[in-house]
Amino acid sequence: MKKSVAILTGYIALFALLGAIHVSQGQASQGFLAFWREVWHDEQQMNFLLYSRLPRFLIGCLAGAALAVAGMLLQSMTRNPLASASTLGIHAGGYFFVVLFTIFLPSLSGQYPILVTMAGGILAALLVTFLVGRSLDPVRIALTGLIVTMLFSSFTSALQILFENEVSGLFLWGSGTLLQLDWSGVQFAWPWITGTLVFAWLISRRFDILLLGDEAAAGLGQNVTLTKILGWLVAILLASVTVAAVGPIGFVGIIAPHLVRLMGFRLHRTMIIGNIVVGAALLVGADIFVRIISKSSELPVGAMTAIIGGPWLVYLAFKMGAATRARAGSLVGKVRIRSLARFYPLVIIAVLVLITISLSFGGTRFTPITELPHELMYNRYAWDFRVPRVIISFLIGMMMALSGLILQNVLRNPLADASVLGITSGANVVAMLFLIVFPQAPYLFVPMGALLGALITMMIVLAVSARSGFQPINLLLMGIAFSAVGAALVQIFLVRNNLHASQALTWLAGSTYGTSWHHMWIVLAGLLLVLPLVLYHARAIDVLSFSDEVSTGVGVGTSKMRLSMIILAVVLSAVSVSVVGSIGFIGLLAPHIARQLVGPKTLRLLPLTLCIGGILLISADLLGRVLLAPKEISAGIIVSLIGAPYLLYLLKQTNKVQLK
């Protein structure tokens, strides 16, 4: 205990030093020592200190303490070391409600910000707990929280793109910022946060008993249901006040509780005190780094916490990899369709009908099918833009579906997909970096950058998760970490380079808008390169879906073949990102749907997977063009709105089967 107190005292001293550095920073400051020499004699510097820097420092302390304690309570109640307000979708739900009410009920959002953010957080928490049920499996909780977050983020992105003017002031806040122009933010937040923290400290012994397990806690006279309800409400209230004051800031709620446990604290009363200090120090320290990086413009502190927290998740995955081993098995599916000779003609007819309908819509104009040949022949706009857009949508859908199929089979993991594993995010970052560094370079640089980013990300993911045999929990951690770091870097690029927010959001959400014939040749080249190789190695891919022992026994070079197939999948993902941006879920959904219809054999599965992937993206593109014409909704958002509920349904069904 003495060692723990000594470490905590060291954190307090570090926090005091960080505070002194933090309030000395600013565009008008000449440096740490110069500021503290001059502030007592310079009225302007004193005004900066009292009305800008001190409020910023105090709101950082309050927000960091609230996020850390909220994360600690969520981890205790779910018995999941990955639980926090950001990973369980609470931040995403609160942010979505803020954007929604800002657009449609701005007066209510301004008068009752806590009620708005708390309603969104409660909705997200209820959704996660309903889908997880009585199962407390960390993989299920992490995956459910990830998908709920993606679902709310898709809604938020759609509103931001469609109502750009109404939410233009929320972009920096939506990434998390401690920027304060007066004391109003502190005056709003401190009563809620301090009061809730005191209440959490008073009932903290309930959570100590809860750690013994629900049955043991009930045997000791604990009302387990009431304790969990109180814990969830406290955590959601703390997160909601933070979102309302400074926007959604992630990873503090994951890192701080782990650091406090490493000090040796185990009782919640002492852990709450420790988390208050560590959480405040983490957020203030992250804000210091942000202001060091950019002295002339404001960067979101949420981006910095993600950059710090991403490697921490990688470290957790590496540690968990030492204690876990992969379970061998194959991906299963039911053969519901016996006669493929009768089924595939129907699929082809459906594809042709869908393509025809998609070609008939051009903005607000609909061309009857009888007039479509004349339209395409004589309307230059239709031929140069509408036709390649429809064809590219179908081909990119095929490409994403094929990438997901390869990754799921060779990694023996039904959750494997370029977007879930963070590959898409890595490709996004490097592609955008190439656009910024080489703005006048040929378009070929974009797919090259995307390919490089995807390969680097995949190499890191495989290096860390290979130790555990590619366990689902490791892959999920990698995906969450790289997606968060990638999003943070993109936010920094946007702010530092003054890129137009709505245009960047459209590309990052995944949009087929602006595709042309030269994009189609890039996509065709990628498919023609990879598809024959996949067909040639179809038998080896089937074998790889079993254990390594089985694969080696039948003469398949497991490591070399797995690496080769993963590189092919990464190439497909990188090409698709370079052309249409980030579009998730297709690589996850298409193989699942096809596997439930024709079974797991690659040669039976491949054609249907390609068709379903193409159908999903071309349908999303069509809906995005016609639902709110002449405005467009990005195809990636439509796919997420379709895919996330379907995956949540699958999780719920799987949970029911396990409970039986």
Side-chain angles (χ1 to χ4, degrees):
M1 187 64 183
K2 291 182 179 179
K3 182 179 178 181
S4 301
V5 173
I7 295 174
L8 181 60
T9 303
Y11 267 102
I12 294 173
L14 175 62
F15 170 65
L17 176 61
L18 290 174
I21 296 173
H22 187 273
V23 297
S24 70
Q25 288 181 308
Q27 296 183 20
S29 178
Q30 299 300 316
F32 177 74
L33 295 177
F35 170 79
W36 286 110
R37 282 197 307 266
E38 298 171 5
V39 66
W40 316 108
H41 314 290
D42 189 328
E43 184 178 354
Q44 184 181 28
Q45 290 281 19
M46 182 61 71
N47 287 333
F48 280 133
L49 175 65
L50 293 177
Y51 299 106
S52 177
R53 296 175 188 174
L54 274 179
R56 182 171 184 144
F57 170 69
L58 290 176
I59 201 68
C61 295
L62 290 168
L67 292 171
V69 174
M72 180 205 69
L73 292 176
L74 291 171
Q75 290 173 20
S76 296
M77 289 183 295
T78 60
R79 295 197 288 275
N80 182 358
L82 308 177
S84 72
S86 54
T87 57
L88 295 181
I90 296 172
H91 277 165
Y95 183 28
F96 166 67
F97 266 52
V98 169
V99 173
L100 181 70
F101 277 75
T102 299
I103 295 170
F104 298 108
L105 294 169
S107 59
L108 190 62
S109 177
Q111 292 178 5
Y112 308 103
I114 292 181
L115 293 180
V116 172
T117 53
M118 196 165 182
I122 289 174
L123 178 61
L126 288 175
L127 190 57
V128 171
T129 52
F130 169 74
L131 293 166
V132 171
R134 294 192 298 273
S135 171
L136 292 176
D137 178 53
V139 177
R140 179 174 297 279
I141 293 175
L143 179 60
T144 306
L146 175 64
I147 296 174
V148 168
T149 298
M150 293 176 74
L151 178 62
F152 279 113
S153 297
S154 298
F155 283 121
T156 304
S157 297
L159 292 176
Q160 286 176 319
I161 293 171
L162 294 174
F163 300 93
E164 178 187 356
N165 294 330
E166 289 83 349
V167 298
S168 59
L170 296 179
F171 182 72
L172 181 63
W173 172 85
S175 303
T177 177
L178 301 184
L179 179 64
Q180 301 291 304
L181 302 177
D182 52 35
W183 287 92
S184 59
V186 176
Q187 290 171 348
F188 158 76
W190 83 263
W192 290 98
I193 292 177
T194 54
T196 308
L197 289 176
V198 170
F199 178 73
W201 188 81
L202 292 175
I203 64 170
S204 58
R205 290 184 179 176
R206 286 177 168 269
F207 304 112
D208 294 332
I209 299 174
L210 198 63
L211 290 178
L212 300 174
D214 291 356
E215 293 183 1
L220 292 172
Q222 176 80 271
N223 188 331
V224 175
T225 302
L226 177 61
T227 300
K228 288 187 175 182
I229 290 174
L230 289 174
W232 276 100
L233 288 176
V234 168
I236 292 172
L237 180 57
L238 289 172
S240 299
V241 175
T242 304
V243 170
V246 297
I249 297 175
F251 286 97
V252 174
I254 294 179
I255 302 173
H258 281 282
L259 291 177
V260 171
R261 292 190 192 97
L262 288 176
M263 294 181 195
F265 293 115
R266 292 294 180 268
L267 297 178
H268 280 78
R269 283 201 169 184
T270 52
M271 287 173 65
I272 287 174
I273 296 172
N275 274 284
I276 289 173
V277 175
V278 175
L282 278 174
L283 193 52
V284 169
D287 198 42
I288 290 174
F289 281 116
V290 162
R291 300 172 84 180
I292 291 174
I293 293 172
S294 180
K295 296 182 179 179
S296 59
S297 60
E298 185 71 26
L299 291 181
V301 69
M304 182 56 66
T305 59
I307 292 173
I308 296 171
W312 183 263
L313 276 185
V314 173
Y315 167 73
L316 287 178
F318 190 75
K319 284 192 64 177
M320 296 178 71
T324 57
R325 298 185 64 86
R327 293 170 291 179
S330 60
L331 299 173
V332 297
K334 298 179 181 179
V335 183
R336 291 186 169 91
I337 298 171
R338 302 289 179 180
S339 177
L340 296 181
R342 295 180 180 179
F343 176 67
Y344 276 118
L346 297 176
V347 174
I348 293 172
I349 292 172
V351 169
L352 293 175
V353 169
L354 187 58
I355 290 175
T356 303
I357 294 173
S358 187
L359 287 172
S360 299
F361 282 92
T364 57
R365 179 180 177 184
F366 173 74
T367 304
I369 294 177
T370 55
E371 300 177 13
L372 188 58
H374 181 273
E375 172 84 359
L376 298 179
M377 187 177 297
Y378 295 103
N379 187 335
R380 190 71 180 174
Y381 177 85
W383 181 254
D384 287 344
F385 295 98
R386 200 187 309 170
V387 174
R389 177 172 182 168
V390 171
I391 296 174
I392 287 172
S393 296
F394 190 78
L395 293 177
I396 289 288
M398 294 173 60
M399 187 174 281
M400 293 176 175
L402 180 58
S403 175
L405 175 63
I406 295 171
L407 289 173
Q408 288 175 21
N409 274 30
V410 301
L411 295 179
R412 301 194 300 271
N413 189 334
L415 308 178
D417 170 57
S419 58
V420 173
L421 298 181
I423 300 171
T424 302
S425 183
N428 266 338
V429 170
V430 182
M432 180 167 283
L433 185 62
F434 271 45
L435 286 172
I436 293 171
V437 177
F438 308 107
Q440 305 300 325
Y443 181 78
L444 186 62
F445 267 59
V446 178
M448 288 174 58
L451 177 59
L452 178 62
L455 286 172
I456 292 173
T457 305
M458 193 71 232
M459 287 172 58
I460 299 174
V461 169
L462 292 177
V464 177
S465 58
R467 189 176 184 182
S468 67
F470 310 110
Q471 277 278 0
I473 185 64
N474 295 84
L475 294 170
L476 278 174
L477 283 171
M478 294 301 100
I480 294 172
F482 281 105
S483 296
V485 173
L489 291 173
V490 167
Q491 289 167 358
I492 292 175
F493 293 159
L494 290 175
V495 176
R496 287 298 302 271
N497 295 277
N498 298 318
L499 297 178
H500 199 261
S502 64
Q503 292 177 352
L505 286 171
T506 300
W507 186 75
L508 292 171
S511 174
T512 54
Y513 178 80
T515 50
S516 57
W517 289 107
H518 74 274
H519 294 102
M520 192 187 74
W521 305 125
I522 295 175
V523 176
L524 273 177
L527 273 174
L528 293 176
L529 171 67
V530 175
L531 188 55
L533 294 174
V534 174
L535 289 171
Y536 180 77
H537 293 291
R539 177 180 172 275
I541 293 174
D542 285 334
V543 174
L544 285 175
S545 65
F546 293 91
S547 65
D548 288 355
E549 291 79 7
V550 173
S551 303
T552 305
V554 297
V556 175
T558 307
S559 300
K560 186 180 294 184
M561 180 58 65
R562 178 173 286 121
L563 181 60
S564 301
M565 291 297 104
I566 287 173
I567 290 175
L568 293 180
V570 170
V571 169
L572 292 172
S573 174
V575 173
S576 65
V577 169
S578 68
V579 175
V580 298
S582 300
I583 297 181
F585 289 110
I586 290 180
L588 204 59
L589 287 176
H592 273 287
I593 297 172
R595 203 175 285 119
Q596 296 305 313
L597 294 174
V598 298
K601 297 294 183 182
T602 300
L603 287 178
R604 288 174 60 91
L605 186 63
L606 182 60
L608 184 57
T609 300
L610 294 174
C611 290
I612 292 174
I615 289 171
L616 283 172
L617 188 52
I618 202 172
S619 301
D621 179 63
L622 176 61
L623 289 172
R625 283 189 284 137
V626 303
L627 284 178
L628 296 176
K631 289 186 176 181
E632 288 195 13
I633 306 175
S634 299
I637 293 175
I638 298 293
V639 170
S640 297
L641 297 180
I642 297 171
Y646 177 75
L647 286 179
L648 293 174
Y649 166 77
L650 287 179
L651 283 171
K652 186 62 179 176
Q653 293 301 111
T654 305
N655 192 45
K656 287 180 179 178
V657 172
Q658 289 181 347
L659 289 176
K660 291 178 182 179

